[in-house]
Each structure stands twice: as structure tokens, then as C-alpha cells.
Amino acid sequence: MRRRGTVLAAAGLLGLAGLTGCSSASSPAASPNPSQGCPVTVADGWVKTADKGMTAAFGTLSNSSSEAVTITAASSPASSSMELHEVVDDNGQMVMQPVPGGFTVPASGSLTMEPGGYHLMLMDVSAPIEAGQDVTFTLTCADGASTEFTAQAKDYTGGEETYKNDGMDSMAPSPSMS
Amino acid sequence: MSRRHLLLGGAAAVGAAALPDTPLAAATVDAAGALGQSKEQCWGPHQAGVATRSQAFATYLGFAIRSGVARADLVRLMKIWTDDIERMTQGTAVLADPVPELADVPARLTVTVGVGPGLFRTPGLSHKEQPSWLRPLPPFSIDALQAHWSGGDLVVQIAADDPVAVSHARQVLVGDAKAFAEVTWTQTGFRRAAGTTAEGATGRNLMGFIDGTVNPTPGTDDFDQVVWINDGPSWLQGGTGMVLRRIRMNLDTWSGIDRASREQIMGRRLSDGSPLTGSLETDAPDLDATTDGGLLTIPEFAHVRVAHARNAAERIYRRPYNYDDGVTGGQPDTGLLFTAFAADIDRQFVPIQRRLDRHDLLNLWTTPIGSSVVAILPGFEPGDWLGRRLLT
Ligand code: HEM
């Protein structure tokens, strides 16, 4: 299954299923010195356009510090609720789920958020996110410090695929995800 | 293994020293793929793709703005395109590219964005001052213009030394424009492939002529004066005017014309592009020279005579591409994507085209079937975006 189709499908499905119960539990890992702020920066940020409902944002997180940093939460004016997600292979089925404990960016390393992998899930987009629009996001480190980045909204013209999971058979991606 | 095979296969690895009688040019065979990794700067006071040494391949796109699209929407389009251009020309994948590998070989990719008169019908833009020349060319008797090769609210020139790079950029730019504009025409053109002739050598068009000899030289004051706009509406300062004419060549009837006649029709020799009055390509044609019989050496009807600037104002920068869209109904669909840049189309280009319309014998074998006039937006610096002064 192509990665791009997976995320489209999975994201749409979750939108229909309304999995609002999954929140990003935080179990802090190694924390940087809070007085120095969050040493994570985000490059190449982009967010998938959406009229409403759910969509996802991507980019590359880089950690300039010598200790691993965990991102425990994300927020954006574009969505009242956000979660940190990953797509995992569950017995051959690609399943999107919250990442327990958040995203850990290795010391002096990076973590890529991309379709089919880690991503920021916008759970409740109320006003349309249109192509070319700049959307700001704030990521919160385990120690409470935060970092901001801007993502460009892009139409994502990948193919649509249906996605099957327990109790969710024959559900197609919502149109807003195509 | 033949010497020739060896040269093509591994000249760079073997090295010229191992082959003492190797022609010098063989040393430049691009075994490492350096051509593909060459990049053109996309930032600066002017957009790339005008003064840029002509790349081998080009695609031109005409767009119609979708109804309902307003000024603020165009801001978003230009921000996306700017980001796309910055990334692709520098060999980096655009945001959301599912196959980032397609951006790995920029091959001097440039993207040049122009706006046509129709853009100013966009709500929020009608009050913007336009240059008087930003309108379709006046009709000419030689014209057989087809709507589907003409006009464009936006026209984009994509050029690179590799056709995959051009195609990928086309796919990205059209995809990212989908919400705002639809493509009304696509024209693809080519010159000699990169590395097949000496860098900067004048190309040949499909009638066989060396084409592009008499032209301002990029990087000179002369070029800057002919091409770049530095007065008028502020949104266009640093930009230029572009005329794109799709000129079909009837190569079947042309093939019946003997070499001597062809050279008379052009006023230059097929062999090396030298004028009939000189011996080198770079020799200036002597339009007053006569033959022993008292006839003009470069005839009255010769293209170079008729096209030659009559005064300092009539100067343009030509940057043509050949096109070959195969054979349709038994006729070769072949010709020239005649591309000319000038700061003022009415003042610099139109008088030349008027003269050619009346006196150029070449017209018997060439027919303009498409025509667009656009204003090429000024360049942009890192952090800025294309067309900001027009759209804000
Ligand atoms: C299929 C159509 C055309 C062909 C095959 C063609 C070909 C050529 C060739 C071979 C030359 C001589 C070499 C050189 O200086 O580049 C030339 C010169 C030139 N052409 Fe064209 N051309 C075409 C159309 C046009 C058009 C539409 C214009 C402008 C309206 C134009 C303007 C000029 C100018 C200004 C020169 C230089 C004249 C001089 O000062 O010597 N050409 N063209």
C-alpha cells in the first residue's frame, strides 16, 4: 500500500469514526533545561488543506541540544484540538494512532513527520485551511517550554484508497481528505 | 572495444592522458552527471530564465484564472509557487512531494512567471496600473492564430537541461495551481541537448538556420536596457515583457527550396550562419553591399534585412525554442516557439513584426498560429514572494 494513500485513508476514516477519545498521553522522557526553552526547530512544515474536520501537518523536527527532547503536545489556531500521531503496521493494516508519550527527537538529531509516519493531527478544523495559507503551530516540550513554526497549506492530490479495520469495514475516506 | 566507444563510455574516468590522440572535447564528457547537478540561482532583482543561458528544454504553460478567484487567492498561489520554485531550482523536493527523488536533478531548472492582461479582471486587481503594451499584438496579415495556442492570464516558462526536470516542475506547478487556475495550453520546445555543442554556441532551428546570432548579450548594459523595465508601474520594475509566438514551419514545402535560395531568403549562410556579406557568424551583415551585377547581396526580402533594427528603440532579446509535435494529417507539426523579451513590446517588438509581416519572404513557409503577450514579474529575494508588489 502506498504511504500517501494510507494516510489519506486513515485520516479520513478517523474523521468519520470520530475518535475523539484518543488524546496524546504524556509520559515525559529526557527533558532539556527548561530555562533554555525548547531546543527543537521545525523545517519544511506543511499542512494538508481541509474544509473542516480533520487534517494533518508535517515537517522535520531538529533538536539542537545534546539531550533527547520529547514533544508532548501540539496546538494551532486552526484546530481546537490536536494530537500527535503515527501510522503503524498492524498485521498488514496501516493504522493511525496517537503516539504514547509523544515524539522523541534524539540528541543533536531529527525526526521527520511525513505522510505514512509521524504527523500532527488536527482533530477539529473549523475554518477552511486553503492552499497557500500559512498556519502556525506550537509544539510543547516535556518540560513545558514551547516552539513555534509555520506550515504552508498544500493540496494533497494523492489517490484515494479504502481502508479496513476492525469494525470499520468498507468505510471510505471522507471527501475533504482527497 | 572501439576508441569511440571508450570515449563515450568512460572518457572522464580514463582521462585524456591515457588517450593522447583524443580530441580535446572528449575530456568534457560528463561521466559524473555534473550537468544534472548544475543550478541556476532563482533569487535576485529579475526572475531567472530570461538572462539565463538557454537551457535545452522548455515548456510554456498558459493558465486561465478560475472564476471566483480574487486577489487574496492569487497571493496564496504565488506564495506556493515561490516556495516550489525555490526548492526545485535548488534541487530540493517541494513540500508534499510524494516522490522527492524527482527533484534530485535540477539541471539548471528555471521557472519564469508572467501575467497576461486577463489577470487584471481578477477582483481586487482592476485598479492596478498596467503597461500600455500589455495586450494582444495587433493583427498581422500572416497570422492564422488559434485561440488554444494564444493568450493566458498567467504564462509560465519552465526550462532546464533535462526534460524530466521540466516535466516534474510542470506537474508540481500545475498541481499546486489547481485551486486557482487551469491550464489552457502547453507548448514544449527544445534546443540542442546540453553538452552536445560548445557551451553558448548559437542553436539551429528546424529550417536549418543558426538562429540567435544578433542578440543583446546577457550581463551587458545593452541587454539590461533592452530587456529590464525600470519605470512605469512599480510592480513591474525589474520585470520585462515577453512575446511568445508559436510559428509553424511548413518543412515539406521548405524542403523543395535549394540551399542557395534558402540563404538568400535568410541573408545568411546555412553552413556557419555568416552573413552573405561576411565570413564569420559574428560579422555584421552589410545591408548596402551589392553584387557585381548591381543587386543587393542581402536581398530586399531577406529575413535579416527586414528584421534588422531601424533605430535604437527596435531591439529585442530572442530566446527561441524549436517545437516538434510529430506529424498530423500528413503534415509535420513543427516550428519555432519564438520567444522575445523587451521592456516595451509596442515600442521594441511591434515595428519589427510589422515589417516582417509585409516584406519577409520567410512568411511563405512560416505561419504564426499562437500568440501571447505577458508581463514577466520582477524577481524575488529569499523570504519574499513572486508578484508581491502586484498583489498587495
Ligand atoms: C519561424 C520564424 C523565424 C525564423 C525561422 C527566424 C530565423 C532567424 C534567423 C536564422 C536569423 C539570423 C540569425 C540571427 O541573427 O539570429 C534571424 C534574425 C532575426 N530575427 Fe528571426 N526568425 C523568425 C521569426 C522572427 C520574428 C517573428 C521576429 C520578430 C518579430 C524575428 C526577429 C529577428 C531579428 C530582430 C533578427 C536579427 C536581425 C539582424 O539585426 O540581423 N524573427 N531570425
Side-chain angles (χ1 to χ4, degrees):
Chain A
M1 186 187 247
R2 286 165 56 227
R3 301 174 100 195
R4 165 197 262 199
T6 305
V7 157
L8 286 176
L13 227 215
L14 284 184
L16 289 177
L19 296 185
T20 47
C22 50
S23 63
S24 45
S26 52
S27 56
S31 305
N33 182 347
S35 64
Q36 291 178 345
C38 184
V40 169
T41 53
V42 182
D44 300 338
W46 65 279
V47 55
K48 211 161 22 132
T49 54
D51 286 341
K52 58 179 167 45
M54 302 172 87
T55 191
F58 310 93
T60 302
L61 310 178
S62 296
N63 177 1
S64 60
S65 78
S66 54
E67 289 173 75
V69 175
T70 298
I71 302 296
T72 55
S75 65
S76 169
S79 174
S80 57
S81 144
M82 285 191 62
E83 297 181 354
L84 310 180
H85 277 194
E86 64 184 341
V87 175
V88 295
D89 185 340
D90 177 20
N91 287 326
Q93 307 241 316
M94 303 311 284
V95 182
M96 188 173 71
Q97 64 185 31
V99 182
F103 296 161
T104 299
V105 191
S108 309
S110 67
L111 179 139
T112 305
M113 301 187 294
E114 60 186 349
Y118 295 116
H119 56 273
L120 304 176
M121 199 70 200
L122 290 78
M123 306 301 289
D124 185 19
V125 174
S126 44
I129 297 176
E130 297 179 306
Q133 194 180 317
D134 285 334
V135 179
T136 55
F137 292 91
T138 305
L139 301 180
T140 308
C141 287
D143 70 350
S146 66
T147 186
E148 258 194 27
F149 72 98
T150 303
Q152 186 174 72
K154 295 204 81 168
D155 284 334
Y156 196 63
T157 50
E160 290 181 59
E161 294 174 27
T162 51
Y163 172 72
K164 290 183 180 178
N165 196 6
D166 292 343
M168 296 179 178
D169 285 7
S170 77
M171 295 187 103
S174 75
S176 66
M177 290 297 165
S178 61
Chain B
M1 188 191 256
S2 73
R3 166 66 50 90
R4 183 177 163 72
H5 188 160
L6 191 62
L7 278 180
L8 291 174
V14 174
L19 299 166
D21 55 347
T22 298
L24 190 64
T28 63
V29 167
D30 186 11
L35 279 175
Q37 291 314 309
S38 303
K39 299 178 183 89
E40 291 292 344
Q41 174 74 266
C42 64
W43 298 286
H46 315 298
Q47 285 193 74
V50 180
T52 307
R53 177 166 55 82
S54 295
Q55 301 97 323
F57 304 97
T59 290
Y60 294 85
L61 298 164
F63 290 87
I65 301 297
R66 292 187 192 283
S67 66
V69 167
R71 186 195 55 79
D73 303 309
L74 293 179
V75 169
R76 292 188 286 111
L77 170 62
M78 289 300 165
K79 285 183 175 177
I80 300 181
W81 272 1
T82 301
D83 191 70
D84 288 344
I85 292 166
E86 289 178 325
R87 289 172 192 270
M88 288 192 291
T89 58
Q90 305 312 304
T92 309
V94 300
L95 298 175
D97 191 338
V99 189
E101 292 82 356
L102 279 169
D104 284 352
V105 180
R108 300 206 300 124
L109 177 71
T110 58
V111 176
T112 316
V113 178
V115 302
L119 189 86
F120 295 84
R121 288 193 298 265
T122 306
L125 280 187
S126 48
H127 68 285
K128 284 279 179 176
E129 193 191 342
Q130 298 171 48
S132 53
W133 51 259
L134 185 54
R135 56 181 178 190
L137 295 177
F140 298 101
S141 65
I142 52 171
D143 287 357
L145 301 185
Q146 299 170 15
H148 67 269
W149 291 126
S150 301
D153 298 337
L154 293 169
V155 170
V156 176
Q157 172 192 275
I158 306 169
D161 280 336
D162 170 58
V164 177
V166 173
S167 176
H168 176 62
R170 202 267 305 136
Q171 181 67 16
V172 165
L173 295 169
V174 171
D176 280 342
K178 223 170 214 159
F180 311 94
E182 78 180 313
V183 173
T184 51
W185 50 258
T186 307
Q187 308 193 45
T188 56
F190 58 92
R191 304 165 58 87
R192 294 260 193 226
T196 55
T197 52
E199 192 173 296
T202 319
R204 270 186 202 272
N205 63 43
L206 298 176
M207 290 177 128
F209 296 113
I210 290 182
D211 189 344
T213 303
V214 175
N215 228 0
T217 308
T220 62
D221 287 349
D222 179 46
F223 179 94
D224 292 351
Q225 238 160 30
V226 168
V227 172
W228 303 123
I229 295 169
N230 41 40
D231 52 14
S234 75
W235 64 265
L236 193 48
Q237 290 180 22
T240 181
M242 181 177 90
V243 176
L244 173 62
R245 302 271 283 172
R246 184 179 182 87
I247 305 178
R248 174 176 274 170
M249 294 171 173
N250 191 333
L251 291 185
D252 282 356
T253 55
W254 179 248
S255 69
I257 308 301
D258 62 73
R259 279 180 78 89
S261 303
R262 292 184 186 205
E263 293 181 342
Q264 294 278 305
I265 290 162
M266 183 49 63
R268 285 180 176 269
R269 295 190 183 89
L270 285 159
S271 56
D272 55 5
S274 60
L276 298 179
T277 56
S279 56
L280 298 174
E281 185 197 336
T282 47
D283 286 345
D286 178 354
L287 298 178
D288 298 324
T290 51
T291 62
D292 292 345
L295 298 171
L296 285 167
T297 311
I298 294 176
E300 209 67 65
F301 53 72
H303 182 71
V304 299
R305 174 186 294 280
V306 183
H308 187 67
R310 294 291 190 276
N311 57 63
E314 283 181 15
R315 308 277 314 288
I316 58 177
Y317 179 66
R318 294 175 292 133
R319 198 176 186 279
Y321 283 91
N322 301 307
Y323 77 84
D324 182 344
D325 284 5
V327 178
T328 312
Q331 295 290 313
D333 188 3
T334 317
L336 200 64
L337 302 181
F338 177 90
T339 315
F341 296 96
D344 183 331
I345 300 300
D346 281 353
R347 199 171 69 104
Q348 298 169 244
F349 176 89
V350 172
I352 306 173
Q353 181 65 82
R354 271 220 172 91
R355 261 198 321 275
L356 290 173
D357 184 41
R358 295 197 193 111
H359 306 298
D360 186 9
L361 199 61
L362 202 61
N363 292 335
L364 292 178
W365 299 274
T366 60
T367 311
I369 58 172
S371 186
S372 298
V373 175
V374 295
I376 300 294
L377 295 168
F380 59 95
E381 301 294 342
D384 198 0
W385 47 276
L386 261 173
R388 182 178 49 78
R389 278 180 278 154
L390 173 63
L391 297 172
T392 56

